[in-house]
Amino acid sequence: MLFQSIAFGQTSDSQKETTRIGVGVEVATTIELITVQSMTFGSLQPGQEEIYVNPINSLNAGFMIGIGTPSAEFKLTYLPERVLTQVGGRATLTFTYEISGNSEENQSTSELLDNNNRNFQFNASGRYFFWIGGRLDISNAAPGNYEGDFTIEIDYI
């Protein structure tokens, strides 16, 4: 985005000159999200009814890095529930996402984030770190592979 400011100045009445000064400023408005690691579920056990990936301490959690303007504030929004569809079939499962975040690349000290319109801030290097986990009820799941998309949106404030 480019902002431009134009100022006009005027000298005394005897000199009717107008001076035009242009100033241009480039402001970065993009935020980049990089997926470093996708979430994995590991092996299922007989009789298991739920899969839970804890975003704060599970090695199976997905990992993303948000890159933006250093020290800038942002808001985070996402749909906490997504439907996963059976590949080649009609069965569905509902996955409830949990996200933790931290201005440092340290999963164990990250905190759970939610959609409560709270403001977050990129660190001095313009980074914010996200770990993605959640819950999946598989008690009535039909056999097969399931897929779905997760969308996270970050907007400057």
Side-chain angles (χ1 to χ4, degrees), residues 30-41:
T30 60
I31 297 174
E32 184 178 0
L33 270 174
I34 299 171
T35 300
V36 177
Q37 174 180 304
S38 295
M39 183 175 18
T40 58
F41 293 115

Side-chain angles (χ1 to χ4, degrees), residues 8-19:
F8 292 96
Q10 197 170 32
T11 58
S12 68
D13 285 343
S14 63
Q15 299 175 346
K16 293 285 189 183
E17 288 184 24
T18 301
T19 304

Side-chain angles (χ1 to χ4, degrees), residues 73-117:
E73 289 189 350
F74 64 91
K75 286 190 184 227
L76 170 78
T77 55
Y78 65 95
L79 294 175
E81 289 190 350
R82 297 298 296 188
V83 174
L84 306 179
T85 305
Q86 184 183 35
V87 176
R90 293 187 168 165
T92 60
L93 297 172
T94 301
F95 189 84
T96 304
Y97 285 93
E98 290 183 0
I99 300 177
S100 69
N102 199 343
S103 59
E104 301 174 3
E105 190 176 344
N106 187 337
Q107 182 180 7
S108 66
T109 61
S110 64
E111 62 177 307
L112 283 178
L113 310 180
D114 56 29
N115 278 331
N116 66 359
N117 291 327

Side-chain angles (χ1 to χ4, degrees), residues 129-144:
F129 305 93
F130 300 96
W131 290 269
I132 315 300
R135 297 183 182 280
L136 181 63
D137 180 354
I138 58 170
S139 59
N140 297 316

Side-chain angles (χ1 to χ4, degrees), residues 31 68-75 120-124 126 128 156-157:
I31 297 174
T69 302
S71 302
E73 289 189 350
F74 64 91
K75 286 190 184 227
F120 301 97
Q121 186 174 21
F122 289 106
N123 65 20
Y128 197 86
Y156 286 112
I157 298 174

